Amino acid sequence: MNIKQKTLLYLIGIPVAYALALRLLYKIPRLEGIFSLMSISFLFFVPFIVGTLTTYLASENFTNTKLKAAFLPWIPILIFFFVTFLFAIEGWPCLLMIAPIFLIAASIGGRYGVNLKKRDKDNRLQLSALTVLPFLISPVEQMIGAHTSEYKAYTYIDIKAPAEKIWSNVTRVREISEKEDQGYLTHLLNFPRPVKAELNYEGVGAYRAAIFTNGLVFHETVTEYIPLKKMSFTIKALPHEIPLTTMDEHLVVGGKYFDVLNGTYELEKLGNNSYRLHLFSNFKLTTTFNFYASWWTKNIMKDIQNNILQIEKQRAEADSVTK
């Protein structure tokens, strides 16, 4: 094996092979109670170890500065992402969301690998012990179990139109064209886009269907209704109704990890024909890293809500001019 081949093996082959092996192991159904992809052991420790392996095995000229040691591990991480996407092991939305934590953890691991190699004694045993750490941490993490937390996403928009025009566009949303849909984060993550919302009558107990593309439907039941002022409703998505190709399995609404609970519209008068439309939603997460997952989920929910509010604003103001 020449120097170039050896360098590629150390910098790419071993770290990438390690990450892929753990990814496939954590996916085995029979081991679901022991290993989980939605865990701290996978999302934090695996990239940390990849970073450590990369710099520990690399020659000194690749790691002779702090900057090199921090960014060199990004090479195997990005290759790991590419391979898992290419072979449909992981979806694009999940890769995008885990990328920041993977890259940061890999950089920390890279610095640790350099320090480990600089010590006087032989640290191969310590490095070997580090590679089996996820096998020890994950079962303990699964025994402790995931924590369920509830969160709120709040958005609002100011509209210059009569209350009747605004409210008619809130309770029932006419079909939304692709041109009207301006959700940037949901587009980036390839989430279903909103199509329309149907309400059978106005009042407590009414049923409202918020329909999205690819078979996603939010089944809403009105729990509080004050005409032209407030409408609250429970929200339920039924996972068995959603085709497998619609969303990544880790992001399915109403699934194991994420669910939307309820929502509220409130219309606040600011002045003559000037109103502020508030939209709240409550959702829950069940993971061992809610502190990170909640940031993404809250921003996704806000993106969906801001998109809907913008559409309702444009339509209400247009309706007030033409009618």
Side-chain angles (χ1 to χ4, degrees):
M1 184 181 291
N2 59 41
I3 296 176
K4 186 176 181 180
Q5 290 173 329
K6 190 175 180 179
T7 300
L8 289 174
L9 174 65
Y10 283 171
L11 287 183
I12 299 173
I14 293 176
V16 172
Y18 176 81
L20 286 172
L22 268 291
R23 173 62 181 82
L24 295 174
L25 175 71
Y26 273 55
K27 184 63 175 174
I28 296 175
R30 293 180 183 178
L31 301 178
E32 188 176 357
I34 302 175
F35 302 110
S36 173
L37 291 171
M38 298 288 282
S39 64
I40 292 174
S41 62
F42 183 80
L43 293 178
F44 294 85
F45 283 97
V46 169
F48 173 82
I49 295 168
V50 167
T52 303
L53 285 171
T54 303
T55 55
Y56 185 90
L57 297 173
S59 58
E60 189 176 344
N61 62 308
F62 283 101
T63 60
N64 54 8
T65 68
K66 291 182 179 180
L67 201 62
K68 286 183 180 180
F71 288 101
L72 185 65
W74 285 27
I75 297 174
I77 290 294
L78 293 175
I79 293 173
F80 167 71
F81 284 173
F82 175 76
V83 172
T84 55
F85 178 73
L86 182 66
F87 290 96
I89 298 171
E90 199 62 79
W92 167 250
C94 268
L95 290 176
L96 183 63
M97 286 190 279
I98 68 172
I101 211 70
F102 255 63
L103 294 173
I104 291 170
S107 292
I108 296 171
R111 292 290 302 133
Y112 180 77
V114 170
N115 293 333
L116 189 65
K117 189 163 61 173
K118 285 181 179 179
R119 296 175 186 173
D120 294 333
K121 60 181 181 179
D122 187 350
N123 291 293
R124 283 177 293 182
L125 181 60
Q126 186 174 342
L127 183 67
S128 298
L130 185 65
T131 60
V132 301
L133 197 58
F135 299 92
L136 304 175
I137 294 175
S138 187
V140 175
E141 190 176 355
Q142 295 307 302
M143 286 176 62
I144 295 172
H147 178 64
T148 299
S149 299
E150 293 188 11
Y151 301 90
K152 176 181 283 189
Y154 166 64
T155 51
Y156 71 89
I157 197 166
D158 293 340
I159 306 174
K160 293 183 178 180
E164 294 82 3
K165 302 297 183 183
I166 299 172
W167 202 247
S168 65
N169 283 284
V170 166
T171 55
R172 297 174 178 86
V173 181
R174 303 188 303 272
E175 189 156 341
I176 301 167
S177 66
E178 288 191 41
K179 185 178 180 181
E180 290 178 290
D181 182 13
Q182 299 297 318
Y184 73 95
L185 187 56
T186 49
H187 281 181
L188 182 64
L189 295 173
N190 198 30
F191 269 53
R193 68 174 189 85
V195 175
K196 60 182 177 179
E198 301 171 341
L199 181 70
N200 57 357
Y201 68 89
E202 296 180 17
V204 174
Y207 170 73
R208 187 173 186 263
I211 301 168
F212 287 67
T213 55
N214 300 337
L216 176 62
V217 179
F218 290 116
H219 301 278
E220 303 171 355
T221 301
V222 177
T223 56
E224 184 179 0
Y225 190 85
I226 304 174
L228 306 182
K229 289 186 178 181
K230 184 177 183 180
M231 181 173 69
S232 296
F233 44 89
T234 59
I235 302 173
K236 191 169 185 62
L238 304 176
H240 67 270
E241 292 183 344
I242 306 171
L244 294 176
T245 55
T246 298
M247 304 177 76
D248 189 285
E249 62 177 315
H250 304 122
L251 305 174
V252 172
V253 183
K256 184 178 179 181
Y257 307 107
F258 168 56
D259 199 8
V260 184
L261 303 174
N262 53 63
T264 296
Y265 277 104
E266 288 187 0
L267 191 58
E268 174 191 2
K269 187 171 184 177
L270 300 177
N272 187 29
N273 275 357
S274 179
Y275 292 85
R276 176 164 293 172
L277 181 60
H278 305 265
L279 177 55
F280 309 82
S281 68
N282 292 288
F283 62 93
K284 68 176 182 178
L285 292 171
T286 305
T287 73
T288 57
F289 52 95
N290 287 347
F291 62 93
Y292 181 72
S294 62
W295 183 88
W296 277 101
T297 313
K298 187 174 289 188
N299 280 284
I300 290 169
M301 292 300 297
K302 284 186 175 182
D303 184 58
I304 294 171
Q305 292 177 193
N306 280 323
N307 188 27
I308 294 295
L309 288 175
Q310 187 64 41
I311 291 168
E312 291 168 342
K313 170 186 170 73
Q314 292 173 354
R315 291 181 173 183
E317 290 180 345
D319 290 347
S320 67
V321 172
T322 57
K323 296 181 182 180

